[in-house]
Amino acid sequence: MQHDAHAHHDHSAHSAHSTHADHESHDGHKGHEGHEGRQERHGGHHEGHGAHHAPGKASWSMAARATLHCLTGCAIGEVLGMIIGTALGWGNMETMILAIILAFFFGYALTLRGILAAGVDFKTAFKVALAADTLSIAVMEIIDNGVIALWPGAMDAHLSDPIFWIVLAIALAAAFVITTPVNKWLIGRGKGHAVVHQYHH
């Protein structure tokens, strides 16, 4: 009789232990599932973020905005260069060289302003600006100054002459149209203004 009671006691304890173990296992499994879910959501977020900067994702609107950004700096630099060159009585070549230098300066300056605003140190920001804008500004300046140089009478026109502003507008428009595909190509390969976009998130 005592033996039977002992056996019954052991069996009850074992059952309780099994139930407790199953409960812990079940809770642990729930926790594990929750952890996996968080991992999947976290991984999905990074995949989405990576896809945003992935090469080959450049749109024409993105390329146009990048080109317009460079064009603004170039236009400011060129007009200022023409004003300074004319005021100092410089020749066409000296004035054009100054205008090109200032176009690069203001093109880089606009990009630097945006990157520095994101909290990046100046050295890093300057390297990013060089990588992002150099080719774009160079192509733009070649087209822009090429149109002005080849247009009859444009090089000798003064700031007060309508022909100066008309030819400048045509030159900048041509530079925009030709440089936009270049920027699209660069951004699509993770270069150019794609580098700048990393600091805007």
Side-chain angles (χ1 to χ4, degrees):
M1 192 69 182
Q2 289 179 354
H3 178 72
D4 291 341
H6 181 70
H8 180 71
H9 176 73
D10 287 345
H11 179 69
S12 298
H14 180 68
S15 298
H17 180 71
S18 298
T19 303
H20 182 66
D22 290 343
H23 182 67
E24 286 184 344
S25 175
H26 183 65
D27 287 346
H29 184 62
K30 279 185 178 178
H32 183 65
E33 284 179 348
H35 181 66
E36 284 182 341
R38 286 194 297 273
Q39 280 186 326
E40 287 174 3
R41 289 194 298 272
H42 188 65
H45 171 73
H46 277 284
E47 285 175 6
H49 187 68
H52 182 73
H53 295 298
K57 300 294 182 182
S59 64
W60 282 107
S61 62
M62 186 186 298
R65 286 195 300 271
T67 305
L68 188 61
H69 179 90
C70 291
L71 192 67
T72 302
C74 289
I76 293 171
E78 288 195 17
V79 172
L80 187 59
M82 296 292 181
I83 292 173
I84 294 173
T86 301
L88 295 177
W90 289 1
N92 291 336
M93 187 57 66
E94 292 88 351
T95 301
M96 181 175 283
I97 291 173
L98 176 63
I100 292 172
I101 291 172
L102 290 177
F104 272 92
F105 173 80
F106 282 99
Y108 289 139
L110 289 180
T111 299
L112 271 173
R113 186 183 66 174
I115 302 172
L116 289 172
V120 181
D121 64 278
F122 182 82
K123 184 178 180 181
T124 301
F126 185 68
K127 288 180 180 179
V128 171
L130 287 178
D133 288 337
T134 299
L135 181 58
S136 177
I137 295 175
V139 172
M140 196 169 289
E141 285 302 294
I142 290 171
I143 302 302
D144 183 20
N145 288 282
V147 170
I148 293 173
L150 295 175
W151 196 285
M155 288 291 291
D156 297 320
H158 295 284
L159 295 174
S160 57
D161 296 335
I163 186 66
F164 170 81
W165 297 103
I166 292 171
V167 175
L168 179 62
I170 293 172
L172 290 173
F176 177 82
V177 171
I178 295 173
T179 310
T180 297
V182 174
N183 277 322
K184 186 176 187 298
W185 181 83
L186 287 170
I187 295 170
R189 281 154 184 76
K191 300 177 181 179
H193 269 251
V195 181
V196 177
H197 293 164
Q198 297 176 25
Y199 297 93
H200 291 220
H201 294 279

